[in-house]
Amino acid sequence: MQEGERNILPVYEIEKQLVEALSRNERVIIKAPTGAGKSTQVPQMLIHHGLAKKRIIVLQPRRLPTRMLAKRVAYEMNSSVGYLVGYQIRFEDRSSHNTKIKFVTEGILLRQMMLDPGLEDIDAIIFDEFHERHIYSDVTLGRALQIQKTIRPDLKIIVMSATLDIAGLESYLAPCRLISSTGRQYPVAISYLDKQVDSQKTQLWDLCTRELERILSKENNGDVLIFMPGSYEISRTIQALRNSSTIRHCEILPLYGDLPPDRQDAAMISYDRRKIIVATNVAETSLTINGITVVIDSGLARIAHFDSSRGINTLMIEKISRASADQRSGRAGRTAPGNCLRLWTQSEHAARPERETPEIKRIDLSETLLAMHAGGEKNIKSFPWFEPPDQQSIEKAETLLADLGAVDDTGNITPLGMKLSAFPVHPRYARMLIAAGDYGCIPSIALVAAMTQERNILLTTRDKIVSEKRDRRIEDSPDSDFLTLANAWEYAYRQDFDLSACREVGIHAVTARTVAKLQDYFIKIAEREGLDTNESGASHDTIAKCILLGFSDHVACRINEGSRRCELVHKRRGDLAKESSVNSGRLLVACDVSEIGRHSGDSTVILRLATLVKQEWLKELFPSDFTEKYEAVLDPQSKRVIGEKRILFRDLVIERKTGGQPLPEAAAELLAKEILTGHVTLKGWDHEVEQLVARINLIAGSCPELGIKPFGEQEKESVISRACIGSFSIKDVKDKPILPILKNWMSSDLFTLLNKHAPERITLKNGNIVKVVYKTGAEPYIAQTIQKLYGVKESIYIAMKKVPVLIHILAPSQRPVQITKDMPGFWRDHYPRIKQELQRKYPKHEWR
């Protein structure tokens, strides 16, 4: 592209503003629509105007655009890739010391920040397509700001986006300069399906082929871009298109990240005949594919989410947001007016979210936090996040890193953690692969890792014939569900993943084929990290140890031999899945721990993909996580407290040995706990005890100046603990009198104040002595017959005269005729009537 051709790109309308802004301010936000040319031209503007003497780093969310953009900019600068313009993605670095513009994926720059905290050879960092909100772009931007604010105030930071909500970003980067380009986009006519498609009856690729046949019968010009969620859907779509007599004459090409570079390049060049590209969302942003006038959008993408059951990030096929759909439709309006067909209805479109949830809100943070620790980040909580993750997600990730041995007790990264951080996979799999390299079983562990990432290849079936064929051809393993699945996968592999052959025994052929690709992916990672990938030491023990090292936080112990009920590390309980072939053995590790909700609102934890482990392996692999404790336990049969030696792996009890008498204090504590939780009722905690407690609480609440503390749960626990001292069985403590113990617990000063201000008995004005009834939360009262109240003309008060005593006035029959606090009012207003009524019934009693 010549100089004049570049200058007609829409982004050049902001060139002057950009140069002025970067001359005065080190932070700039560029908002420009797709197709404006910002990805290729902005770094060249910095070079042309002398704003970057050293190197410019352009951060890209995906590998394919990283390579393609470098190739394009190198062409425009009359250079070859690797000289003035280069790129670096995982396992491939096409750059040199002469490189001025370097396109990199997000993880690459973060790792460079670990090695070179000052970024001494970098003048500017450009964050392209920031609206995609990948977690590594968030972290890298935060780290770049830290560097700029401390040791590199001259570092230029440019954030570019087409659809991001700019307001929040402006506030985060302040002070910064916002520059907008209106761009130039040709009109794109958007159309939808008339009615919703039943995905159970109509395959996506068949629907796409049918609709494209209809479009091509009217559209004679331009190339076609079809968006599919993954490589499998792409291959099925290409197959369907090539089977169409209307379409087969076109040049039909795939485009996705894992394609070899030469096949990726093939999708970008022009052909003499109409070109149809079937792509994932790698074609959604950054790349301009010339000649596209028709877009068919499946509306689906593989999006990373945290799978809490397996404790890993998993790609799930989901509906894209409205913002992503707009990005995709814009591909048809880059060089000419175009058309976009969305394979969903307009009403379905309105129900879609406005934009995708940022990765930081939906994926596991352990891999990211490990990279941050490796880069020297000491305090994750105080890191300048653009949008901080929730605290629970951070805590979960840090706990997992500690379980894997990647960080120590103080949160600092360990030598093993530094080793794990070099692997471009989840830390669980990095730990498994490192161990597998030592044991000589990488192919087997790569297969295990692949199977944990996909759905179960064995289908649930009630078909008796299918079950019988499966039992004959696929051997179950009592030691590991993975060995059972490996046997099933080997069968599918021998059948070349044939659909009908796999269906006969209930194997999901498509998943089995995907597992094969993932296994190869893990083996290649191990090779690139210098591990020995020969299968020289594979056995049940070595495979199980590797699984254990990756999933030590999923170690479980059966509650009883033969039971499916298990206790797990981190104080959890669950049930081993019914379909598990691991039917015996106490200790196991489950790679899938999922919580299943019920209609009642309760939930059940189910353990799947289980493998038996041995206690000696735990001691061998995690020596510092083993502890022995001597504790008092209550024997449910004898109801006695006995001594128990417990061996724990972290907080999971994996062995118990009972016998001997525990320490008296430990026995008392356990018995007290049984009483306080309501499992045991003390006969001695009677009405007299409750009276005394109520008296204490009355004075504490009514007379705070006396400084008496209320008798609450803590005080009750203290008294009951005293009652339990010396006892070793429930029978010993159950009939103990509590009142003497409670009185002994009270101080003499408390007794004095209690007898003075909340007396057990009071003397009335007529000389009668009467018992006061106390109850916590209720008014104190006395009960007397009318005859015994003659001469009591005033109301009665206690507690420094702050609390009136309620008087239950009784007839000679002991039945109440009046309840009052107002004695003068009673004699004046009520007694004459009551006397008249009762005197007829009880003429022998005294009536004044």
Side-chain angles (χ1 to χ4, degrees):
M1 183 184 287
Q2 300 301 313
E3 185 71 25
E5 292 174 297
R6 286 205 303 271
N7 288 344
I8 65 171
L9 288 169
V11 74
Y12 274 93
E13 69 184 15
I14 65 167
E15 181 177 16
K16 184 178 179 181
Q17 297 177 64
L18 177 62
V19 171
E20 290 176 353
L22 288 176
S23 299
R24 296 195 301 263
N25 194 314
E26 278 67 45
R27 296 178 209 154
V28 173
I29 300 172
I30 298 175
K31 184 175 183 181
T34 56
K38 57 185 180 297
S39 302
T40 58
Q41 304 310 307
V42 168
Q44 294 186 67
M45 290 178 190
L46 269 62
I47 295 289
H48 180 71
H49 290 280
L51 293 171
K53 302 294 185 184
K54 300 176 188 175
R55 180 173 287 181
I56 300 166
I57 296 292
V58 185
L59 203 67
Q60 284 293 322
R62 297 185 179 89
R63 289 173 296 164
L64 175 57
T66 302
R67 190 177 67 81
M68 293 292 192
L69 288 168
K71 185 176 180 181
R72 179 65 190 178
V73 175
Y75 167 74
E76 292 182 4
M77 295 182 70
N78 298 313
S79 175
S80 57
V81 173
Y83 188 65
L84 288 178
V85 182
Y87 69 88
Q88 186 177 355
I89 58 178
R90 191 65 183 177
F91 304 126
E92 186 179 1
D93 187 356
R94 295 284 304 277
S95 66
S96 66
H97 68 278
N98 294 311
T99 300
K100 295 298 183 183
I101 300 174
K102 186 174 179 180
F103 291 83
V104 303
T105 47
E106 297 153 336
I108 297 295
L109 179 56
L110 186 58
R111 291 176 192 279
Q112 183 175 348
M113 288 173 166
M114 298 178 200
L115 301 172
D116 178 17
L119 301 179
E120 295 301 331
D121 65 336
I122 297 172
D123 276 342
I125 303 175
I126 300 173
F127 293 80
D128 198 12
E129 308 295 356
F130 189 74
H131 61 271
E132 294 202 16
R133 294 299 311 283
H134 289 193
I135 190 166
Y136 275 114
S137 65
D138 279 19
V139 174
T140 308
L141 179 57
R143 183 70 187 120
L145 286 174
Q146 284 182 322
I147 293 169
Q148 189 193 61
K149 290 177 180 178
T150 53
I151 55 178
R152 284 292 311 281
D154 60 315
L155 181 67
K156 294 175 173 57
I157 297 175
I158 302 168
V159 182
M160 304 197 300
S161 174
T163 60
L164 184 69
D165 179 10
I166 295 298
L169 186 60
E170 271 195 284
S171 175
Y172 175 67
L173 292 176
C176 68
R177 172 82 177 273
L178 171 62
I179 303 173
S180 298
S181 169
T182 56
R184 182 181 65 250
Q185 183 81 11
Y186 290 94
V188 177
I190 308 292
S191 58
Y192 298 87
L193 297 181
D194 294 330
K195 60 181 180 180
Q196 191 170 349
V197 174
D198 186 347
S199 59
Q200 300 297 319
K201 296 179 180 179
T202 304
Q203 296 290 358
L204 185 60
W205 40 86
D206 292 332
L207 172 63
C208 177
T209 301
R210 187 179 69 223
E211 291 297 327
L212 183 55
E213 287 174 339
R214 180 183 59 79
I215 291 170
L216 294 187
S217 67
K218 301 175 183 178
E219 288 280 341
N220 295 320
N221 299 313
D223 295 334
V224 179
L225 175 61
I226 299 171
F227 283 101
M228 285 289 161
S231 58
Y232 171 73
E233 292 80 13
I234 287 174
S235 64
R236 293 302 301 267
T237 303
I238 289 175
Q239 182 182 347
L241 294 174
R242 287 175 178 164
N243 289 336
S244 167
S245 58
T246 308
I247 302 171
R248 66 175 59 155
H249 65 280
C250 298
E251 190 70 36
I252 305 170
L253 300 161
L255 183 61
Y256 53 91
D258 289 333
L259 272 179
D262 58 331
R263 295 189 65 192
Q264 293 175 349
D265 293 341
M268 306 300 292
I269 62 178
S270 299
Y271 293 86
D272 293 336
R273 51 182 174 163
R274 175 174 249 155
K275 180 172 63 176
I276 299 174
I277 299 173
V278 189
T280 60
N281 56 2
V282 297
E284 188 175 303
T285 56
S286 295
L287 294 176
T288 295
I289 306 174
N290 290 324
I292 298 294
T293 59
V294 175
V295 167
I296 296 181
D297 187 0
S298 68
L300 301 172
R302 288 188 179 270
I303 297 174
H305 281 272
F306 177 54
D307 185 338
S308 59
S309 64
R310 287 175 282 179
I312 56 173
N313 292 322
T314 303
L315 290 172
M316 301 177 183
I317 294 180
E318 289 187 357
K319 295 176 181 178
I320 62 171
S321 67
R322 298 198 300 272
S324 289
D326 290 342
Q327 286 273 6
R328 291 181 175 188
S329 64
R331 303 292 105 181
R334 286 291 187 94
T335 55
N339 292 283
C340 173
L341 171 63
R342 293 171 175 166
L343 297 180
W344 62 93
T345 65
Q346 198 160 2
S347 59
E348 288 178 285
H349 184 73
R352 293 188 175 216
E354 181 182 357
R355 59 185 77 246
E356 264 75 33
T357 304
E359 274 192 346
I360 202 165
K361 298 292 186 181
R362 54 180 164 83
I363 69 169
D364 171 36
L365 301 178
S366 56
E367 189 174 352
T368 305
L369 297 194
L370 180 60
M372 294 174 72
H373 282 303
E377 189 62 49
K378 298 293 185 183
N379 194 334
I380 301 298
K381 295 176 185 176
S382 64
F383 184 78
W385 300 97
F386 173 42
E387 192 171 350
D390 65 77
Q391 188 58 38
Q392 187 179 21
S393 297
I394 292 177
E395 289 171 1
K396 279 185 177 180
E398 294 282 21
T399 298
L400 175 58
L401 292 178
D403 288 341
L404 292 172
V407 296
D408 60 24
D409 294 340
T410 62
N412 292 319
I413 193 165
T414 63
L416 174 61
M418 290 299 294
K419 204 171 180 182
L420 295 177
S421 70
F423 283 72
V425 292
H426 192 280
R428 288 190 190 277
Y429 299 138
R431 186 68 189 93
M432 289 166 65
L433 288 172
I434 289 173
D438 294 335
Y439 289 125
C441 58
I442 277 180
S444 293
I445 288 303
L447 181 59
V448 168
M451 288 191 290
T452 62
Q453 290 218 322
E454 289 296 315
R455 58 178 290 184
N456 196 327
I457 64 171
L458 284 176
L459 299 169
T460 303
T461 179
R462 295 181 181 178
D463 189 312
K464 189 176 180 182
I465 296 174
V466 172
S467 296
E468 288 174 351
K469 286 183 178 179
R470 179 188 290 180
D471 291 340
R472 286 197 305 270
R473 300 177 191 177
I474 300 170
E475 183 183 356
D476 278 351
S477 168
D479 295 329
S480 175
D481 290 329
F482 281 116
L483 293 180
T484 301
L485 290 175
N487 292 336
W489 182 84
E490 289 285 354
Y491 177 85
Y493 179 80
R494 290 194 301 270
Q495 306 302 318
D496 197 26
F497 306 109
D498 180 75
L499 288 172
S500 59
C502 290
R503 193 181 297 116
E504 278 189 356
V505 292
I507 293 176
H508 196 282
V510 174
T511 301
R513 187 186 295 275
T514 304
V515 165
K517 292 179 181 177
L518 282 171
Q519 181 194 28
D520 185 55
Y521 168 73
F522 282 114
I523 291 173
K524 286 179 179 176
I525 285 173
E527 286 177 345
R528 287 165 176 166
E529 291 301 326
L531 301 181
D532 181 0
T533 58
N534 292 316
E535 190 86 338
S536 57
S539 66
H540 165 67
D541 286 8
T542 56
I543 293 169
K545 285 180 180 180
C546 293
I547 295 171
L548 178 57
L549 285 163
F551 289 86
S552 63
D553 56 321
H554 287 184
V555 170
C557 184
R558 293 183 200 266
I559 291 177
N560 297 304
E561 190 68 35
S563 169
R564 290 188 175 273
R565 190 70 171 155
C566 300
E567 292 181 335
L568 290 93
V569 169
H570 300 317
K571 301 292 184 183
R572 297 167 292 171
R573 281 196 171 197
D575 295 310
L576 189 62
K578 293 178 181 178
E579 66 268 19
S580 175
S581 60
V582 182
N583 294 315
S584 61
R586 289 184 57 253
L587 284 173
L588 55 93
V589 58
C591 292
D592 187 325
V593 180
S594 54
E595 190 170 351
I596 310 298
R598 296 174 178 170
H599 293 299
S600 62
D602 297 332
S603 62
T604 302
V605 175
I606 303 295
L607 314 184
R608 295 188 177 90
L609 299 180
T611 297
L612 287 181
V613 297
K614 298 177 182 178
Q615 185 170 321
E616 54 263 36
W617 297 348
L618 293 172
K619 289 182 179 178
E620 173 194 342
L621 300 174
F622 308 98
S624 62
D625 289 336
F626 259 79
T627 53
E628 289 187 3
K629 287 185 178 180
Y630 292 86
E631 296 188 7
V633 295
L634 185 66
D635 180 58
Q637 277 74 41
S638 65
K639 304 293 184 184
R640 289 191 63 81
V641 180
I642 57 176
E644 181 179 84
K645 176 184 176 182
R646 294 182 177 184
I647 298 177
L648 292 92
F649 172 65
R650 296 175 185 161
D651 59 359
L652 173 67
V653 179
I654 59 174
E655 188 179 338
R656 289 180 168 90
K657 292 181 181 178
T658 58
Q661 185 165 290
L663 294 172
E665 295 81 3
E669 183 181 347
L670 185 58
L671 290 170
K673 185 177 179 181
E674 288 293 303
I675 295 165
L676 290 164
T677 54
H679 296 148
V680 176
T681 302
L682 291 180
K683 293 181 181 178
W685 196 281
D686 54 16
H687 174 73
E688 294 300 316
V689 172
E690 290 290 350
Q691 282 280 289
L692 191 51
V693 169
R695 290 167 66 195
I696 295 171
N697 287 337
L698 177 75
I699 298 302
S702 303
C703 308
E705 61 267 40
L706 297 177
I708 296 174
K709 188 179 179 182
F711 191 95
E713 290 302 314
Q714 186 177 347
E715 289 70 29
K716 183 177 181 179
E717 182 178 347
S718 176
V719 171
I720 289 176
S721 296
R722 290 190 180 202
C724 293
I725 291 175
S727 298
F728 290 91
S729 72
I730 289 175
K731 184 180 179 182
D732 291 343
V733 75
K734 197 171 182 180
D735 297 327
K736 262 192 178 179
I738 302 300
L739 189 61
I741 297 170
L742 176 57
K743 287 182 176 179
N744 188 53
W745 171 84
M746 296 169 62
S747 67
S748 58
D749 289 344
L750 178 56
F751 258 120
T752 302
L753 292 171
L754 213 57
N755 290 331
K756 181 177 180 180
H757 300 294
E760 191 175 357
R761 287 176 172 78
I762 56 175
T763 302
L764 302 179
K765 289 291 185 180
N766 60 11
N768 288 329
I769 299 173
V770 60
K771 183 177 181 179
V772 182
V773 180
Y774 296 88
K775 187 175 181 181
T776 299
E779 295 177 297
Y781 71 90
I782 62 172
Q784 288 284 72
T785 59
I786 291 176
Q787 284 72 25
K788 290 186 178 181
L789 289 171
Y790 287 151
V792 181
K793 297 180 180 179
E794 298 176 354
S795 296
I796 304 167
Y797 291 88
I798 58 173
M800 302 174 73
K801 294 188 177 182
K802 292 182 179 182
V803 179
V805 176
L806 204 59
I807 302 169
H808 292 207
I809 302 173
L810 310 178
S813 63
Q814 302 298 308
R815 297 182 66 180
V817 294
Q818 187 80 16
I819 298 176
T820 185
K821 301 176 192 174
D822 181 11
M823 287 305 290
F826 168 74
W827 295 119
R828 183 182 66 248
D829 301 328
H830 303 287
Y831 179 67
R833 173 182 55 78
I834 291 172
K835 174 183 175 182
Q836 188 177 5
E837 292 175 3
L838 294 181
Q839 197 170 17
R840 290 196 299 272
K841 293 182 180 181
Y842 307 101
K844 295 182 179 180
H845 286 74
E846 178 186 7
W847 298 101
R848 296 182 184 175

